[in-house]
Amino acid sequence: MSKGWYIVHTYTGYENKIEKTIRQKLEAGELDSAVISEVKVPVEEVVEIKDGKKKSRKNKFLPGYVMLEMDLPDIGWKAICSGIRSIQGVTGFVGTNPNQRPRPISNDEARGILMKCGDIKGEKSVRIVQAYNVGDQVKINEGPFASFSGAIEEIYADKSKLRVMVQIFGRATPVEVDTTQVEKLVV
């Protein structure tokens, strides 16, 4: 037996209800807490910028799935898995039939999902919901270049960063800023 992250497929919109039900069954002793150590609905933080104001919210980035960290035993795994499958809204474990032993996802996959959730310290990712285009005029609101404004020269979507050309001492200078540090100017 070794711990691993397993993915349970659910009806979309039932994720939080199923997480709560699993936690209640663990507390009541209906599911073995020595086997199931963690229950998680994968959510990410989304920052929406509207009218220059930032609003933060949590979004499910894997709708219809719940993550379980389990130490699934070689003997008796069927009873544990059928106990989870019997919860209303659960359709099964990802990648297996009901009569097959579920397989955990790889450590790299689990680490990627947990990083996106912000569960790995210092590596939380935030998704920005404001579209920028090359050439857009922006004003920098935070950081060492606060109050400077300029045109977007390059967009690094994978890093949520922008390269902005600002005027410093009369010279155009490229500055790399996070997308949360800027506000789009209406021209």
Side-chain angles (χ1 to χ4, degrees), residues 68-158:
L68 295 176
E69 186 179 32
M70 298 194 299
D71 195 0
L72 203 59
D74 293 330
I75 299 171
W77 63 266
K78 278 190 176 186
I80 295 163
C81 293
S82 66
I84 294 168
R85 279 191 205 99
S86 69
I87 297 171
Q88 184 178 357
V90 172
T91 59
F93 285 87
V94 171
T96 58
N97 294 325
N99 58 352
Q100 292 178 321
R101 179 185 168 96
R103 292 184 304 267
I105 60 174
S106 72
N107 288 336
D108 291 337
E109 289 173 316
R111 181 172 170 73
I113 293 170
L114 293 171
M115 273 179 25
K116 201 167 182 181
C117 290
D119 291 339
I120 297 177
K121 291 183 180 177
E123 301 189 26
K124 186 174 183 179
S125 69
V126 177
R127 189 166 57 100
I128 308 299
V129 182
Q130 181 171 348
Y132 295 104
N133 296 313
V134 173
D136 285 350
Q137 291 291 320
V138 294
K139 179 182 178 190
I140 302 172
N141 294 326
E142 297 175 12
F145 300 100
S147 78
F148 283 91
S149 58
I152 297 175
E153 184 180 77
E154 209 167 333
I155 299 170
Y156 307 108
D158 55 331

